[in-house]
Amino acid sequence: MRLSSLVQHLSRRAGVWMAGALLAGVAGTASAAYPDRPITLVVTYPPGGTVDVVARLIAPKLSTLLGQTVVIDNRGGAGGMIGGTFAARAKPDGYTLMLDASNHAQNPALHSKMQFDTLKDFAPVSLLLRVPNVLVVTPSYPVQSVADLIKLGQPDSGKPIHFASAGNGSAQHLAGELFNVLAKTNLEHVAYKGGGPAMVDVMAGQVPVMFASLGSASQHIKNGKLRAVAVGGGQRSKAVPNLPTIAESGVPGYESYEWNAVFAPAGTPPAIIEQVSRALSQTLKDPAVAEKLAGIGAEIIGSSPAELDTFRRGEIAKWKKVAAQAKLQLD
C-alpha cells in the first residue's frame, strides 16, 4: 500500500474511532447527568400515616445523595391504587418514583379488576424495611396468650370474636385472615376508615382484637392502653424482645409484616434504577435515619432491585393463596 493510501486509510479509521468515542462520551454524560431536576416520590397513602412518615424520614438524605430535591407527592386512597395508577402512567425516566406498602402485593389477591398490572407496570428498586404486625387486645379482655384467642375464636364457641382493621383489604385485615386460616379460627372482621380510628376503638373496648402495625401500636402498648399478646414476624422483634411470635405461640408458619418499598414505572433505564437503589441503601445506613426507623419498630433492609422482585412475587403468591382460602374478593 502506498504511503498516501495508508495515511488516508488510517485517517478514516481514526475518524470512525473518534466518532464512536464521541458518541459513547455523550451517552455516558447523559447517564451521568441523572438527576438534573427534582424527583417526585409518589406516596400511596395520605399524610400522617406510617408510609408517609417513612417517606419524610428518607427524603432529605436521599436528596443529598442524588443531588436533587426529592418532592413527596401523597396520593392516598383505594388501598394504594390511586397512587399506583398515577405512578404506573408516569414517564419512565427516573423522575417519578413510588413508595408503596404491603398493598402492592395484596391488591392483586383481592381485586380481579385493577387499572394497572403490579408486576408488568412497575420495576422494583429497593425493599426499604418491614414492620411486623402485632396482636393486641383491649387490656381488660380475657386474652393473655395466642392459645386463649384460638380457644375463644373457634367456630363452635357460640360467641363471635371481632377484630378491627384499617379497612377492607388492609394489611391488618389480611393479617387477621391469615390467622384465621392457619389457626382455624373464625374471628370476624370489622373494617374502619383508617388504622387510627380502629385502634381507638380497640383501646376503648368496642372491638377487642387487632393485628396492628407494631410501629403505630408500640406507644399505646408502652402506656398500657393496649396489651400486646404476640408479634407477627418470623422472629422476635428487637423493639419488643420479650414478646413471643405468633408462630412460636401455637400457629406455625404465621408471618405478617407491613413493608415499604420503592418502585419505578416499568421501562425506567436499569442504570437509573441501580443508582437510586444504591442511594436508598446508603440512606438507610445513615445513623440518624436508622435510629428513627428503629423507633417505629422497623427492620431495615435496603435490598437490590432483584431481591425486591423475588420478595414481591413471593408475597403476591402468598396473599393470593390466603385470599382464596378465606374467600376474599373485593370487587
Side-chain angles (χ1 to χ4, degrees):
M1 183 179 290
R2 295 174 55 187
L3 179 60
S4 58
S5 298
L6 178 61
V7 169
Q8 290 176 357
H9 173 69
L10 292 175
S11 296
R12 285 196 296 271
R13 289 192 62 182
V16 170
W17 179 87
M18 289 180 67
L22 181 61
L23 288 171
V26 170
T29 301
S31 176
Y34 173 83
D36 61 6
R37 61 182 188 272
I39 298 165
T40 297
L41 180 62
V42 176
V43 177
T44 59
Y45 280 83
T50 303
V51 184
D52 179 63
V53 168
V54 170
R56 295 179 191 280
L57 282 176
I58 68 171
K61 181 66 177 179
L62 185 61
S63 297
T64 300
L65 290 171
L66 293 176
Q68 288 290 339
T69 302
V70 175
V71 180
I72 295 172
D73 183 5
N74 293 93
R75 291 180 179 265
M81 288 196 288
I82 291 177
T85 300
F86 176 82
R89 295 173 179 173
K91 187 176 180 180
D93 56 5
Y95 290 95
T96 300
L97 303 171
M98 178 180 74
L99 201 167
D100 209 356
S102 315
N103 55 266
H104 183 87
Q106 293 167 341
N107 282 334
L110 300 169
H111 300 273
S112 60
K113 298 177 182 178
M114 294 174 59
Q115 295 187 50
F116 57 87
D117 185 305
T118 301
L119 292 175
K120 292 181 180 178
D121 292 338
F122 290 103
V125 179
S126 180
L127 175 61
L128 304 181
L129 55 88
R130 60 184 188 178
V131 180
N133 288 104
V134 58
L135 170 58
V136 294
V137 297
T138 306
S140 60
Y141 194 61
V143 166
Q144 300 288 339
S145 67
V146 170
D148 289 341
L149 184 59
I150 293 174
K151 184 177 179 180
L152 289 174
Q154 290 302 303
D156 59 356
S157 63
K159 185 178 180 181
I161 306 300
H162 296 93
F163 73 96
S165 87
N168 283 320
S170 65
Q172 301 94 42
H173 176 196
L174 289 184
E177 296 296 351
L178 177 62
F179 187 88
N180 274 337
V181 168
L182 296 179
K184 296 180 173 56
T185 52
N186 193 31
L187 309 182
E188 295 186 6
H189 176 231
V190 179
Y192 283 79
K193 293 182 178 179
M199 201 169 295
V200 167
D201 267 13
V202 175
M203 288 188 283
Q206 298 298 319
V207 179
V209 177
M210 185 173 182
F211 295 83
S213 166
L214 180 58
S216 57
S218 58
Q219 188 57 45
H220 301 305
I221 293 169
K222 290 176 183 177
N223 63 27
K225 292 183 179 179
L226 290 171
R227 180 166 66 247
V229 177
V231 70
Q235 58 280 322
R236 295 193 181 200
S237 169
K238 292 180 180 178
V240 282
N242 295 325
L243 199 63
T245 66
I246 293 175
E248 72 181 272
S249 301
V251 189
Y254 187 95
E255 190 171 347
S256 178
Y257 294 90
E258 296 184 29
W259 48 267
N260 293 164
V262 172
F263 298 89
T268 301
I272 290 177
I273 288 175
E274 288 290 344
Q275 182 179 344
V276 175
S277 183
R278 289 194 299 270
L280 285 167
S281 182
Q282 286 182 262
T283 296
L284 295 171
K285 291 176 183 176
D286 181 84
V289 173
E291 182 180 1
K292 290 176 182 176
L293 290 174
I296 62 171
E299 299 174 10
I300 297 172
I301 299 174
S303 79
S304 69
E307 289 168 337
L308 172 54
D309 191 42
T310 298
F311 174 80
R312 69 168 176 171
R313 288 175 186 276
E315 285 284 285
I316 289 172
K318 170 183 175 176
W319 294 114
K320 280 188 175 180
K321 184 176 179 180
V322 171
Q325 291 175 311
K327 298 180 181 179
L328 294 176
Q329 195 67 45
L330 300 185
D331 57 15

